[in-house]
């Protein structure tokens, strides 16, 4: 039997923090003591875990030596602030922010792909949700045929920015449908209701958004492929939950769609939708842990180019579930 | 002075038909007599043109010799049904349906690109809206650097299916926000409110949708480039007006983003948005005739690959305006 683990969750009142708590229970993670943490704003609130109420503690005054493991999901600044203290106190961290993802000493892990990089590292980074979704589908294909080039355009839901995004979409939609002036939310660079916004995160000098750069850099790190060409366009769309991706890729070796279909149908964590079925965010994201892949097509007049469409619950496999899966490997938990 | 032209509009009560009537006035098209036509369902309704009311006539009993020019926008079946009769009566046609687009004897025209193919053809086809949007931006680049490969993912508004699509999105959105069960519309293969649907038109055996095949085939015909690789993924999104496209392309010759920016800034019918600005459907589609292009980026580690984001009023340059522009060339009208 696995030893019980003392678990802290920093950002326990947020959308992903709550999903992590639910996921710990759903996967029967051996939680000994739970410490829900937050920054000063949310400390003092009450959250539920299983059948018990817990008071949310202020991370600033928390003694991290009380926890064996902490999930960090309160933003990159909070991670940079609290990580040194937690690690010094002997608490291992799964960080679901961008703070340490590109740090050479920090493994960036999707357990189905590179669990072997975890070893006994005290700090593991959870990749960006759109990266996880992309690589879960591409990895089995890369293993067998080699992928040389990827072009991805995303359709990302408002829950990607947390609860404020969900509230903004609902509020703005109601306003527009009632012909009332609605203030735009700070959650997005423009009004999101009945709109699509081709910017997620700030834009750099080359014109790339942060989300696009994450997809590029994180994918190359996780696949350990510095030669891989990945071009992303990240777009926010007015859906509540579930990200979608339109993915074009080129293989190093000629292959055919039937072989790719067989491979994806057998891959762990993938649900393959054969033609003419396909997944959609509103119907297929919420109640599911898998990366849904459909609309697999061979590109006309080309034996090395293909495309597919994928949908995933961005809060779940894109964040909470993947983090818990990392922790299971770190602590040798078998579920 | 241009001779006045007797004009029929088949589909005058639809979204695009109405936009055509508005556009005829906006561009001061020399309309002599106007004949708004519809199939039996809508005949007898009243529409406005300028300051006058017109009764919509039943196309079935209309004598097409009364008109010099007919715009057809009542669906491909109606075009196939009425075109032979109109042509036999000496009435020239601009057809805004898919009925004749791939017919070798019918020019498929975007006036900025291939007005020279019109000659004195009695029937000209107006391309699919997503094709017009794509080629307006790619054509100047193809002319100068040669384009060898295109990968496009679309974000297409509900107005693309006409008035029923606009009504369905509003109704479904209100229903969901009020937690009421809403019946899905036949306008789409699934509920569109707070969803994205990766299917526009029926799917063929290779898994391509009609819209994707239109983008592929029409683009090659218009550019007269049978060697051009164009891979499209067409997706319906919950926006009311304005299609958006995420476009990746490869050039035959090395070039740089600055040269492409200069070219697009000078191209007819294009509004270029320099970094860090970019267009969005909710703000920039409705009041504009142009194809808006922004987020131009050079692909990392590649001197022959680029991407951009475009937004256009799909009902206007994508349909009504382009059709009127074709008619202006056919009849030698200078605006």
């Amino acid at each position: 039997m696995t030893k019980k683990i003392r678990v802290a969750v920093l950002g326990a009142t947020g959308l992903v923090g709550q999903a992590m708590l639910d996921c710990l229970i759903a996967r029967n993670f051996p939680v000994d003591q739970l410490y829900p943490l937050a920054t000063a704003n949310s400390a003092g609130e009450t959250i539920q875990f299983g059948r018990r109420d817990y008071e949310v503690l202020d991370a600033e005054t928390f003694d991290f030596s009380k926890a064996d493991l902490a999930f960090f999901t309160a933003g990159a600044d909070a991670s940079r602030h609290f990580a040194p203290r937690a690690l010094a106190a002997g608490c291992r961290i799964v960080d679901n922010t961008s703070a340490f993802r590109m740090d050479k000493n920090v493994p960036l892990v999707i357990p189905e792909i590179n669990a072997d990089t975890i070893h006994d590292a005290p700090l593991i980074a959870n990749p960006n949700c759109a990266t996880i979704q992309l690589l879960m589908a591409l990895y089995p294909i890369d293993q067998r045929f080699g992928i040389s080039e990827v072009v991805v355009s995303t359709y990302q839901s408002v829950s990607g920015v947390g609860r404020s995004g969900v509230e903004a979409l609902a509020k703005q939609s109601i306003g527009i449908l009632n012909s009332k002036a609605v203030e735009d939310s700070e959650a997005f660079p423009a009004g999101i209701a009945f709109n699509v916004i081709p910017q997620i995160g700030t834009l750099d000098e080359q014109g790339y958004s942060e989300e696009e750069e994450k997809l590029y850099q994180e994918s190359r790190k996780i696949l350990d492929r510095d030669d891989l060409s990945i071009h992303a366009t990240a777009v926010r769309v007015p859906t509540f939950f579930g990200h979608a991706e339109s993915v074009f890729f080129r293989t190093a070796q000629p292959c055919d769609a039937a072989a790719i279909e067989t491979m994806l149908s057998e891959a762990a964590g993938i649900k393959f939708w054969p033609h003419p079925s396909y997944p959609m965010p509103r119907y297929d994201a919420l109640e599911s842990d898998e990366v849904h892949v459909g609309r697999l097509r061979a590109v006309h007049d080309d034996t090395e180019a293909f495309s597919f469409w994928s949908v995933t619950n961005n809060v779940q496999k894109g964040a909470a579930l993947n983090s818990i899966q990392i922790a299971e490997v770190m602590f040798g938990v078998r579920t």
Side-chain angles (χ1 to χ4, degrees), chain A:
Chain A
M1 196 186 140
T2 319
K3 186 171 157 278
K4 287 223 168 184
I5 300 156
R6 300 171 302 161
V7 176
V9 176
L10 173 63
T13 59
L15 204 59
V16 171
Q18 294 270 306
M20 282 176 170
L21 296 175
D22 293 343
C23 194
L24 286 168
I25 289 173
R27 292 182 71 87
N28 209 15
F29 194 89
V31 177
D32 177 5
Q33 183 67 31
L34 178 80
Y35 299 103
L37 307 179
T39 49
N41 281 341
S42 299
E45 291 182 19
T46 302
I47 58 108
Q48 275 216 324
F49 180 68
R51 293 188 190 136
R52 269 191 57 189
D53 284 341
Y54 287 77
E55 191 192 331
V56 177
L57 307 173
D58 187 346
E60 201 59 64
T61 55
F62 180 68
D63 172 7
F64 278 95
S65 71
K66 288 181 177 172
D68 304 303
L69 164 67
F71 295 100
F72 278 13
T73 186
D77 287 342
S79 288
R80 277 186 285 262
H81 180 67
F82 292 110
R85 192 195 304 171
L87 292 172
C91 175
R92 295 173 80 184
I93 300 171
V94 178
D95 183 34
N96 180 41
T97 77
S98 61
F100 306 106
R101 284 181 189 149
M102 295 314 298
D103 186 321
K104 280 181 185 167
N105 301 311
V106 176
L108 181 64
V109 175
I110 301 171
E112 287 87 347
I113 299 177
N114 62 343
D116 59 309
T117 60
I118 292 178
H119 303 298
D120 53 358
L123 168 63
I124 310 286
N126 190 76
N128 176 45
C129 50
T131 307
I132 295 175
Q133 176 167 347
L134 178 67
L135 295 192
M136 281 291 290
L138 288 179
Y139 175 71
I141 306 168
D142 186 44
Q143 287 290 96
R144 174 76 179 75
F145 295 108
I147 285 177
S148 58
E149 183 182 13
V150 179
V151 179
V152 53
S153 294
T154 71
Y155 301 69
Q156 296 182 238
S157 66
V158 297
S159 55
V161 300
R163 201 163 275 135
S164 63
V166 174
E167 283 163 7
L169 175 57
K171 207 168 155 184
Q172 290 176 20
S173 301
I174 291 168
I176 288 176
L177 292 165
N178 289 289
S179 304
K180 281 185 201 157
V182 201
E183 257 186 61
D184 285 345
S185 158
E186 284 180 10
F188 307 107
I192 183 61
F194 307 112
N195 197 19
V196 294
I197 306 174
Q199 181 187 352
I200 299 183
T202 55
L203 299 175
D204 68 19
E205 282 179 10
Q206 278 78 47
Y208 284 81
S209 70
E210 281 179 284
E211 189 82 357
E212 290 157 358
E213 276 298 297
K214 286 175 188 174
L215 273 157
Y216 172 71
Q217 294 183 359
E218 294 180 17
S219 294
R220 288 157 66 111
K221 175 170 176 176
I222 294 164
L223 295 178
D224 195 18
R225 287 278 312 275
D226 270 355
D227 60 323
L228 186 57
S229 169
I230 297 200
H231 187 72
T233 301
V235 181
R236 187 74 68 192
V237 299
T239 55
F240 285 109
F241 289 93
H243 289 354
E245 295 182 348
S246 166
V247 181
F248 169 98
F249 63 96
R250 201 169 276 289
T251 55
Q253 299 164 40
C255 61
D256 61 58
I260 294 173
E261 173 164 347
T262 304
M263 195 168 305
L264 289 175
S265 301
E266 291 165 357
I270 300 280
K271 177 175 173 183
F272 185 80
W273 295 60
H275 171 78
S277 69
Y278 50 79
M280 288 175 279
R282 191 170 116 190
Y283 303 104
D284 307 305
L286 255 192
E287 304 297 324
S288 159
D289 287 351
E290 291 156 311
V291 175
H292 298 263
V293 180
R295 297 221 59 214
L296 177 67
R297 285 175 291 155
V299 171
H300 293 317
D301 318 316
D302 199 320
T303 57
E304 295 169 4
F306 302 85
S307 72
F308 60 76
W309 166 261
S310 73
V311 170
T312 303
N313 184 341
N314 51 301
V315 174
Q316 198 59 12
K317 179 59 185 171
L321 170 61
N322 197 70
S323 292
I324 310 290
Q325 287 176 311
I326 290 171
E328 288 169 356
V329 179
M330 290 169 85
F331 287 83
V333 176
R334 294 279 160 270
T335 55

